[in-house]
Amino acid sequence: MNFWTFPSLRGVTGGSWVRKPESDHGADVITGLATDTRGLKRGQVFLALRGARFDGHDFLNAAVAAGAPLLIVDNERAVSPALLKDARGPAVLRVRDTLRALGQLASAWRAALETVKVVAVCGSNGKTTTTRLVHAILSQRLRGSASPRSFNNDVGVPLTVLAARAGDQYLACEVGTNSPGEVAALARIVQPDIAVITSVGRAHMENFDSLRAVAEEDAAIFVDLRPNGTAVVPAGEAALADFLKPVPHVVSFGASDEADLRLTSVEHATLADGRAGLRLVLNGRGVFEVPLIGRHNALNAAAAIGVARRMGLDDEAIRAGLLSVTPADLRLQRRTVRGVDLFIDCYNANPESMLAAFQTFSELAAPAPRRVLVLGDMLEMGESAARWHEEIADAAARVGEVASVVTVGEHALRIAERVTRVHPRCRPMILSQLDDNHAQRIAERLQPGDAVLLKASRGVRLERIVEALENLPSVAAVNAA
């Protein structure tokens, strides 16, 4: 039976008709599903979700105007009488809860994708980059798709699955978590053939009481591995050992001798086309290049290579795929704006990702005449927040001589104190929070030739400094305050 029919969608969700479709088929008019009318295409079902600051039921008329043949709602009263009376109007299906219905539809569609190999990517750091690497490589030889942006939660994962096509050969799906139990729920939807854990680190520790708990959460992805499935994991990660015992196939990556894919050499290099990136050697013989900075990205690349080889791709395709990848927004991007060398890494932050950013900045920004650190709080760190910010403060002081340090947030204050103690000539700017005026002031302090690291959790929104620098009226306005 075709999945994208009116009876099928009603059966999967257990809904009831508020307005019946004109036909029981729908396969000739339904082309997929969307939850945002701004991107809805004619033929896509509109499912009305609720969020903290929006209600999809407020956009039913916009969905109709965009050509939705079916509206899925859980608030029947939001459907206007005029819409129901319109003879050309769409069918309307009422369900108990639209978020739950979204998961039900994704689970059913995943079950129908019999020939699609699903690669699920979990972990504390590097999920989005690794997903992009996997997609870039697999697309060299196979048909498939991947999570857009960071679609890794109970909305993004179902939408990623529902966007897959029946004739595809792979789906690279990022799976994230903020709280215990979230990976297990998403694993039941994606039913992966290959499950990657990029790293086990101190992320979202507000909701996890130990690294063991973090590992247990991510390892829940293995429970729903399909028969003969494969786990791709960091070598020597003791916290994962017990959870890997039932897994049929395990491929490990890392720098240790026990790794199946062993990084024997990693260096920053200028690639053949002139871009900056990494050159890495696996097992002493396989040389690969990737246009990403940060030595930690060699581990993400190794994980992606492990997936690709498990999917049957040769090294020629792998090399071409790695070279085709582009950095994800706000994840250790290096950009020059008005002569300022920016290292933009402010999508997320935890101790491990902060330390990796410091290492990269210390290495690549060494020749700059002035180096500037702009650092914000690591959020969701729980009771250990103060201790871990102390650790990061010590590491920031070891980056080397810096001309200025800007900190944003209560805990990041410790970083400014430590850096200025070690580097007395460093000029501090200490902010409790960042607004547009602060971003403007920071941008105006920067000079052409400066190297600047922007690193914080997403909630700090350090990217506003980049926007302020881009919008300065002239190069002459970029000067030291």
Side-chain angles (χ1 to χ4, degrees):
M1 181 179 72
N2 190 316
F3 176 81
W4 295 106
T5 66
F6 293 113
S8 173
L9 299 182
R10 181 193 178 197
V12 168
T13 60
S16 57
W17 294 117
V18 176
R19 177 191 173 109
K20 290 185 177 181
E22 294 181 1
S23 163
D24 274 347
H25 299 296
D28 55 340
V29 294
I30 298 177
T31 59
L33 180 144
T35 59
D36 188 335
T37 56
R38 292 170 295 183
L40 189 147
K41 298 179 176 61
R42 178 168 296 277
Q44 288 185 314
V45 173
F46 177 68
L47 186 141
L49 292 175
R50 288 188 185 85
R53 295 182 295 275
F54 71 91
D55 186 344
H57 295 83
D58 295 336
F59 302 95
L60 297 180
N61 289 333
V64 174
L70 170 63
L71 308 177
I72 300 179
V73 302
D74 58 21
N75 179 11
E76 182 178 345
R77 289 177 295 180
V79 184
S80 68
L83 190 153
L84 293 174
K85 290 177 182 178
D86 186 350
R88 297 171 298 174
V92 181
L93 182 66
R94 183 185 66 244
V95 297
R96 186 169 63 183
D97 179 89
T98 49
L99 180 59
R100 180 171 179 267
L102 180 65
Q104 291 171 321
L105 290 167
S107 293
W109 183 231
R110 169 61 182 115
L113 297 172
E114 297 178 355
T115 63
V116 179
K117 299 292 186 183
V118 175
V119 181
V121 182
C122 304
S124 301
N125 295 293
K127 293 184 295 296
T128 299
T129 296
T130 302
T131 301
R132 290 168 73 95
L133 287 163
V134 168
H135 181 41
I137 297 171
L138 296 185
S139 64
Q140 299 296 311
R141 295 283 189 272
L142 306 172
R143 296 184 309 277
S145 59
S147 302
R149 302 188 297 278
S150 289
F151 273 34
N152 64 18
N153 62 8
D154 57 356
V155 174
V157 169
L159 288 175
T160 297
V161 172
L162 287 165
R165 298 158 295 193
D168 285 349
Q169 295 165 294
Y170 73 89
L171 172 65
C173 189
E174 182 178 341
V175 176
T177 182
N178 292 316
S179 301
E182 292 182 354
V183 169
L186 297 176
R188 289 191 288 272
I189 293 174
V190 300
Q191 299 276 315
D193 297 277
I194 301 175
V196 181
I197 294 181
T198 57
S199 63
V200 177
R202 292 167 286 178
H204 307 296
M205 296 303 289
E206 187 174 63
N207 298 314
F208 297 98
D209 58 12
S210 65
L211 277 180
R212 167 77 181 187
V214 173
E216 182 175 5
E217 172 67 10
D218 281 332
I221 197 69
F222 302 144
V223 174
D224 286 283
L225 268 176
R226 289 205 159 180
N228 206 37
T230 300
V232 180
V233 297
E237 183 53 74
L240 293 174
D242 289 343
F243 305 110
L244 289 168
K245 289 177 181 176
V247 177
H249 305 283
V250 177
V251 176
S252 62
F253 62 90
S256 65
D257 290 341
E258 64 191 273
D260 298 313
L261 296 172
R262 183 164 56 93
L263 286 164
T264 49
S265 173
V266 179
E267 62 179 348
H268 282 102
T270 301
L271 308 186
D273 60 4
R275 290 180 294 173
L278 294 170
R279 182 174 296 118
L280 54 127
V281 180
L282 288 180
N283 301 107
R285 57 184 183 277
V287 181
F288 301 87
E289 294 182 337
V290 59
L292 300 174
I293 61 171
R295 292 176 182 270
H296 58 283
N297 273 319
L299 293 168
N300 296 328
I305 292 169
V307 171
R309 287 181 173 174
R310 189 67 184 168
M311 292 283 287
L313 272 71
D314 58 28
D315 282 0
E316 179 183 0
I318 291 171
R319 290 189 177 95
L322 289 174
L323 287 171
S324 73
V325 79
T326 55
D329 288 343
L330 308 182
R331 293 168 176 86
L332 205 52
Q333 291 177 291
R334 189 176 186 180
R335 291 179 53 199
T336 301
V337 177
R338 294 190 179 276
V340 179
D341 187 10
L342 298 175
F343 293 73
I344 308 167
D345 195 18
C346 49
Y347 191 86
N348 264 325
N350 56 53
E352 284 74 25
S353 72
M354 294 286 281
L355 295 172
F358 291 165
Q359 180 189 41
T360 303
F361 185 70
S362 181
E363 180 178 353
L364 297 184
R370 292 196 340 146
R371 299 194 298 175
V372 177
L373 298 177
V374 183
L375 307 173
D377 277 356
M378 301 180 291
L379 303 179
E380 299 181 18
M381 289 289 102
E383 295 179 355
S384 297
R387 174 163 56 91
W388 288 335
H389 280 86
E390 289 280 0
E391 176 187 339
I392 295 309
D394 287 338
R398 294 194 298 270
V399 164
E401 191 70 34
V402 291
S404 179
V405 59
V406 179
T407 62
V408 183
E410 172 190 358
H411 293 295
L413 168 64
R414 303 167 191 273
I415 300 173
E417 293 172 344
R418 194 67 52 84
V419 171
T420 53
R421 189 184 311 153
V422 175
H423 304 289
R425 291 184 296 176
C426 175
R427 299 173 60 194
M429 177 187 283
I430 299 170
L431 304 171
S432 59
Q433 60 184 4
L434 182 74
D435 60 25
D436 290 341
N437 289 331
H438 294 137
Q440 179 81 12
R441 286 174 55 202
I442 295 166
E444 290 173 350
R445 291 176 61 151
L446 301 177
Q447 302 175 8
D450 284 355
V452 182
L453 173 63
L454 302 170
K455 181 64 179 176
S457 285
R458 185 73 181 87
V460 181
R461 293 191 60 200
L462 289 186
E463 69 275 9
R464 284 178 289 184
I465 297 167
V466 182
E467 296 164 4
L469 185 60
E470 291 172 329
N471 293 326
L472 285 177
S474 67
V475 174
V478 183
N479 54 64

